[in-house]
Amino acid sequence: MRFSFHHDNLVALKTDLLALYCAEDKLGEGTVFQALDRALEGLLTRLIAEEQFKGKKAQSLQIHTHGRIGPARILLLGGGPRREMQPHDLRGFAARAAKAGAAASAKQVAAVLPYTEGAVQERAAQFMAEGARLGRYRFDKYLTGDKKTPDTVEEFQIGMTSDNVESGRLEAIQRGVARGERVGAAVARARDLVNEPAAVMTPTALSEMAKQVAKEHHLEVKVLGRKECEKLGMGMYLAVAQGSEEEPRFLQLSYFPKTKVPGRKKIALVGKGVTFDSGGLSLKPSASMEDMKIDMAGAATVISAIGALAELGSPHEVHAFAACTENMPSGKAYRLGDVLTSMNGKTVEINNTDAEGRLTLGDAITYALREVKPDELFDFATLTGACMVALGPHTAGVMGSDLSLVERWLGAARLAGEEMWHLPLPEKLKEQLKSEVADMKNTGDRWGGALTAGLFLREFVGETPWVHVDLAGPASADKESGHVTKGGTGFAVATIVEYLVPRE
Ligand code: BES
Ligand code: MN
Ligand code: ZN
């Protein structure tokens, strides 16, 4: 999809479809709406009354213009009350416009950028590009015949009113679009990795994908096998891996910025890379296992995000890590009651083999700390069902040892339009992890399951400022909505970019 910009007469713009975003309480007020309505001799005003189009969220109205003006179709998309509209809603707007265009077999789709104020324009344009790209995302490689619908939309035109342009803001808008295209591509890549069945996206396949990302974006890549991880003493990670026929693969991707700027930080991004989570001997019931190819979403996020960081020229040195493995039951699988020795020397009694993520992450965190001594460490993991119970399916739980870092991270999430919420790490809950035979157990009891998982990870972090993002809910979606498509979502890629790539 190509993006282009139009600021002369939108009434004359030759396009297959022109979409307008309409606030509920400002219906009919925009200059573009009024110009189109005038050219159509009041048709739009009459139709919105007849069809009871009020501009409510999810409401839409499409008309054919039959050659009377430039755009062949006008699409009005409701945005809800003006005061509730946020720049990141533009992802949904652009996604809806692109989808309507595809449904009409349109080659060109135009959407009017609703913001005219400077500061938000770059972001607004970024969200439009992300939305147009991601709303049309399909994982259709396994579909055959007419189940596969071709994407007809070749050009996404961003329409602006003269106020946008007169103030010389085209550059900011173009910058926003360029950034949105890159974020969109990285999110789409993360979705692809997650959506691929576990039989295909094995730890080895994931490491090959990481190598491909490294090649594309000129990153350094290191892949460790079982033997090397044994030498490093990754007892927790390898215990999870021992039940599977698939070889474990520990990945590291590294990005070094070309120029040294003051304030440059060293960042470690650790992603959970369980390519299939059956639960191991603490086997999951079938319904809970059905989706467990998504358990490498954290790895998919960090692998894809570091590519975007390199492309956008982040000033920070960034390293991505993922301890990839399956969690399978077998005669070789790790057992309940086993005592594991982690890479940092702490011992862990296993009371549930389905709490495997924290084991793989614990060793990955220890490795990351020793290998790069980061200034800040972030981990991303589909870690607990309890986090979804607490926050619902669309919001990630954020925990951390450094409150100011947590705040800065949440600020980036807000700007990127990704829902995340701070959860505590209550000291008192550490009791739940007490063991008689080892330094700790790997699971606590039912209450506060997301928090005991966070407390478990904290044991491996030490003094490094750290943020833990439990994305068990938002990593995948069970239905399509705006720019979010069913299946893997690529969640957190946009926030990582927002956090690590400053704007001009
Ligand atoms: N991968 C799961 C968590 C998960 C659940 C992710 C649902 C996405 C959707 C994780 O490994 C797991 O099984 N967690 C257990 C922890 C429990 C055994 C303490 C859980 O949440 O039930
Ligand atoms: Mn599990
Ligand atoms: Zn898991």
Side-chain angles (χ1 to χ4, degrees):
M1 196 189 290
R2 211 168 57 242
F3 288 87
S4 59
F5 306 89
H6 299 270
H7 46 76
D8 22 294
N9 190 2
L10 293 177
V11 175
L13 178 66
K14 288 273 173 232
T15 185
D16 296 314
L17 183 144
L18 174 67
L20 281 183
Y21 203 33
C22 307
E24 199 172 328
D25 38 359
K26 305 250 184 219
L27 202 55
E29 282 182 24
T31 51
V32 180
F33 180 95
Q34 287 173 356
L36 292 166
D37 196 36
R38 238 178 289 125
L40 293 167
E41 289 157 349
L43 184 66
L44 286 181
T45 313
R46 284 200 302 281
L47 270 176
I48 59 176
E50 277 166 27
E51 300 293 326
Q52 309 223 4
F53 178 82
K54 303 252 192 302
K56 287 191 190 304
K57 270 192 190 125
Q59 245 190 335
S60 67
L61 180 66
Q62 187 171 314
I63 65 157
H64 287 255
T65 63
H66 300 286
R68 290 169 67 183
I69 56 172
R73 295 173 190 81
I74 305 284
L75 174 64
L76 305 180
L77 291 169
R82 182 72 188 83
R83 76 191 124 74
E84 285 175 21
M85 286 162 75
Q86 307 256 1
H88 65 246
D89 293 334
L90 294 180
R91 284 175 309 194
F93 166 56
R96 288 160 73 193
K99 281 188 248 190
S105 302
K107 284 207 168 107
Q108 299 162 309
V109 170
V112 180
L113 185 71
Y115 285 87
T116 54
E117 294 120 60
V120 287
Q121 271 192 338
E122 182 177 334
R123 284 182 200 287
Q126 179 181 339
F127 284 130
M128 297 263 278
E130 284 177 32
R133 170 81 175 76
L134 292 171
R136 285 293 299 144
Y137 170 86
R138 290 290 173 273
F139 185 72
D140 58 5
K141 62 191 278 200
Y142 296 110
L143 296 177
T144 64
D146 5 315
K147 291 205 84 178
K148 206 177 195 129
T149 50
D151 194 350
T152 55
V153 182
E154 289 164 4
E155 186 178 7
F156 195 90
Q157 306 163 298
I158 293 186
M160 294 161 292
T161 59
S162 48
D163 335 352
N164 297 128
V165 187
E166 273 164 20
S167 36
R169 290 185 183 126
L170 188 58
E171 254 175 51
I173 292 171
Q174 278 171 329
R175 237 183 1 249
V177 166
R179 191 163 160 139
E181 281 187 275
R182 302 221 159 94
V183 172
V187 171
R189 162 172 260 148
R191 289 181 184 180
D192 277 340
L193 297 177
V194 171
N195 288 335
E196 198 64 68
V200 178
M201 197 46 64
T202 59
T204 304
L206 195 49
S207 70
E208 291 306 317
M209 294 305 295
K211 283 181 194 162
Q212 206 171 303
V213 171
K215 206 165 152 202
E216 249 171 66
H217 301 285
H218 313 289
L219 307 170
E220 280 180 22
V221 59
K222 190 149 96 184
V223 178
L224 308 179
R226 194 188 302 267
K227 286 249 161 59
E228 291 144 302
C229 295
E230 264 164 20
K231 275 203 203 104
L232 289 162
M234 294 182 172
M236 296 196 296
Y237 167 44
L238 290 175
V240 175
Q242 80 193 29
S244 171
E245 296 288 325
E246 289 294 335
E247 284 297 313
R249 287 287 179 267
F250 190 101
L251 322 177
Q252 177 180 357
L253 289 172
S254 301
Y255 161 69
F256 300 93
K258 290 198 188 71
T259 51
K260 276 214 165 83
V261 297
R264 164 168 164 174
K265 294 182 288 194
K266 226 193 279 177
I267 306 287
L269 307 173
V270 180
K272 173 173 171 181
V274 175
T275 60
F276 187 70
D277 181 12
S278 71
L281 291 176
S282 309
L283 196 66
K284 286 180 186 292
S286 185
S288 315
M289 206 190 293
E290 203 181 322
D291 250 359
M292 279 304 131
K293 68 174 185 185
I294 69 150
D295 217 14
M296 37 58 76
T301 287
V302 302
I303 291 168
S304 309
I306 197 172
L309 294 174
E311 212 168 299
L312 290 164
S314 170
H316 304 294
E317 179 181 326
V318 185
H319 302 265
F321 302 88
C324 303
T325 176
E326 284 187 322
N327 183 26
M328 294 297 247
S330 80
K332 284 192 261 168
Y334 77 133
R335 305 158 198 81
L336 291 90
D338 281 359
V339 174
L340 314 178
T341 303
S342 63
M343 183 174 171
N344 84 353
K346 287 202 170 79
T347 58
V348 178
E349 177 193 0
I350 300 305
N351 57 347
N352 193 325
T353 63
D354 198 10
E356 84 297 340
R358 61 197 75 183
L359 302 172
T360 63
L361 286 167
D363 280 341
I365 288 169
T366 303
Y367 182 86
L369 293 178
R370 290 202 190 154
E371 187 74 7
V372 306
K373 299 184 180 58
D375 300 308
E376 297 170 1
L377 184 146
F378 296 82
D379 79 77
F380 303 88
T382 46
L383 204 59
T384 67
C387 195
M388 301 169 71
V389 173
L391 298 174
H394 308 301
T395 306
V398 174
M399 287 148 262
S401 52
D402 182 318
L403 284 186
S404 103
L405 183 59
V406 168
E407 279 307 321
R408 274 179 284 139
W409 171 257
L410 289 174
R414 253 188 310 274
L415 287 172
E418 295 193 297
E419 275 179 54
M420 306 202 192
W421 204 257
H422 190 188
L423 296 175
L425 291 169
E427 289 306 323
K428 193 119 188 24
L429 291 197
K430 266 181 73 184
E431 282 168 22
Q432 290 187 16
L433 297 176
K434 277 207 175 121
S435 162
E436 307 277 307
V437 298
D439 296 336
M440 56 183 166
K441 293 192 295 196
N442 74 327
T443 45
D445 55 39
R446 196 167 153 226
W447 310 117
L451 318 181
T452 43
L455 285 166
F456 183 93
L457 294 180
R458 195 181 66 178
E459 293 301 309
F460 299 92
V461 175
E463 298 302 309
T464 305
W466 158 71
V467 168
H468 161 52
V469 183
D470 189 333
L471 33 78
S476 72
D478 56 12
K479 61 172 192 295
E480 180 162 331
S481 160
H483 75 292
V484 176
T485 46
K486 191 173 151 78
T489 57
F491 189 84
V493 169
T495 302
I496 294 173
V497 171
E498 187 61 45
Y499 185 71
L500 292 173
V501 185
R503 289 171 198 272
E504 282 174 30

